[in-house]
């Protein structure tokens, strides 16, 4: 049995579907009630309360783990006690490029690496689905606002992360590996807005925010250190953060999807 935490998120939802389609026995875990594919079990538990995971993990073979909660060691201890042999952790590219800022995912990486279990770490860059933040303004005013309009980064489709995770969870040959996951090419915020407009069949005007405008907006839902780290990546990315990784293609045997493909598949959110 494979347990998927964060089963209602952009990655977790696609991962549950991929594993179920492959014939795996899957338990989807989220904090609230959720609909899951036929044949998939759903359990409610909270990564912030490792004790709540124990009945969910009992008898599991593998665990897909999000960075959530403040007790990563308690989570992996619960996994080991339940019989889990393999943990796949969804971390962040920033854990490698800006460890002084991304301490939370680093703590999870350290916990799984010291757990005694087989582990694989996935470090994706920015998600294509971050563009959902533009959905309301694209629908109402055909505008999209972001800072650093002409700075490109190789954003990744969450569906590609899910497919990589499905392979790694099912195949023991990836133990002890850390994979950087990116899209196929760098794309700027201005070009992402244009791609959404092309998928809509109507132009989307890009509005460039100042750093301070973007910072004020981000502080409404992100801790200040993470906001500063995120703005640094968006505005002054390092060569490592701009590099296109080969790992998605190596694992899946095909190139990662483009942002335009993501936009076309999700265009209903912007209509």
């Amino acid at each position: 049995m494979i347990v998927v935490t964060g089963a209602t998120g952009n990655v977790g939802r696609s991962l549950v579907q991929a594993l179920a389609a492959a014939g795996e026995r899957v338990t989807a875990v989220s904090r609230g009630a959720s609909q899951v594919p036929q044949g998939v079990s759903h359990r409610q538990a909270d990564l912030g309360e490792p004790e709540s995971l124990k009945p969910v993990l009992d008898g599991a073979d593998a665990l897909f783990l999000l960075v959530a909660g403040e007790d990563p060691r308690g989570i992996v201890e619960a996994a080991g006690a339940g019989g889990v042999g393999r943990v796949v952790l969804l971390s962040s590219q920033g854990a490698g490029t800006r460890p002084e800022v991304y301490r939370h995912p680093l703590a999870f990486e350290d916990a799984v690496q010291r757990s005694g279990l087989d582990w694989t770490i996935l470090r994706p860059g920015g998600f294509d689905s971050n563009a959902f933040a533009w959905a309301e303004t694209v629908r109402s005013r055909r505008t999209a606002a972001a800072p650093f309009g002409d700075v490109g980064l190789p954003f990744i489709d969450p569906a590609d992360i899910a497919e990589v995770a499905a392979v790694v969870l099912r195949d023991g040959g990836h133990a002890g590996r850390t994979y950087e996951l990116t899209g196929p090419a760098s794309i700027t915020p201005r070009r992402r807005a244009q791609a959404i407009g092309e998928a809509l069949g109507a132009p989307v005007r890009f509005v460039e925010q100042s750093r301070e405008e973007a910072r004020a907006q981000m502080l409404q839902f992100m801790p200040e250190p993470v906001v500063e780290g995120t703005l640094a990546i968006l505005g002054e990315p390092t060569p490592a953060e701009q590099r296109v990784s080969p790992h998605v293609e190596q694992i899946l045997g095909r190139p990662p999807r483009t942002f335009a493909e993501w936009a076309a598949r999700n265009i209903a959110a912007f209509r």
Side-chain angles (χ1 to χ4, degrees):
M1 179 178 69
I2 299 174
V3 173
V4 177
T5 62
T8 59
N10 289 314
V11 175
R13 187 182 302 109
S14 295
L15 175 56
V16 167
Q17 293 170 347
L19 291 171
E24 296 290 343
R25 191 159 61 97
V26 183
T27 295
V29 178
S30 63
R31 286 184 294 180
S34 176
Q35 291 186 333
V36 295
Q38 187 174 4
V40 172
S41 171
H42 178 262
R43 301 286 295 275
Q44 289 183 236
D46 189 341
L47 288 170
E49 300 174 5
E51 287 292 320
S52 73
L53 292 169
K54 289 184 177 180
V56 175
L57 293 168
D58 190 32
D61 304 301
L63 169 66
F64 177 74
L65 178 59
L66 294 187
V67 171
E70 301 297 332
D71 187 9
R73 183 167 296 182
I75 294 170
V76 296
E77 287 176 355
V84 170
R86 182 180 306 156
V87 177
V88 176
L89 174 68
L90 183 62
S91 183
S92 168
Q93 182 188 62
T97 60
R98 300 177 190 259
E100 70 284 356
V101 176
Y102 288 82
R103 295 175 183 171
H104 197 209
L106 269 181
F108 274 75
E109 291 190 8
D110 182 68
V112 300
Q113 288 169 337
R114 294 175 180 270
S115 67
L117 308 175
D118 286 348
W119 57 266
T120 306
I121 293 169
L122 308 181
R123 286 179 174 175
F127 287 16
D128 287 345
S129 54
N130 291 352
F132 281 137
W134 291 338
E136 191 279 327
T137 60
V138 171
R139 287 194 303 266
S140 62
R141 301 192 295 277
R142 291 291 188 256
T143 63
F148 316 116
D150 298 306
V151 178
L153 288 166
F155 278 58
I156 184 167
D157 190 326
D160 284 340
I161 302 172
E163 288 189 31
V164 168
V167 170
V168 172
L169 283 161
R170 301 178 70 216
D171 181 354
H174 300 276
R177 302 290 300 274
T178 298
Y179 292 118
E180 304 281 344
L181 305 181
T182 71
S186 285
I187 184 167
T188 67
R190 194 182 306 278
R191 178 67 189 101
R192 284 188 286 145
Q194 182 181 346
I196 292 170
E198 290 167 354
L200 275 173
V204 171
R205 183 171 65 92
F206 179 75
V207 178
E208 183 153 5
Q209 293 175 309
S210 70
R211 185 187 182 102
E212 283 308 307
E213 287 171 336
R215 182 176 183 276
Q217 187 176 42
M218 290 178 179
L219 282 172
Q220 296 176 31
F221 57 91
M222 295 167 64
E224 185 173 3
V226 178
V227 169
E228 296 301 336
T230 300
L231 287 170
I233 292 173
L234 294 175
E236 302 92 28
T238 66
E241 289 159 351
Q242 292 182 301
R243 183 171 58 239
V244 172
S245 168
H247 289 156
V248 171
E249 186 163 8
Q250 288 172 355
I251 294 168
L252 299 182
R254 62 161 178 81
R257 297 175 176 93
T258 65
F259 180 82
E261 290 175 292
W262 177 88
R265 200 172 71 248
N266 292 278
I267 201 59
F270 299 91
R271 291 196 186 282

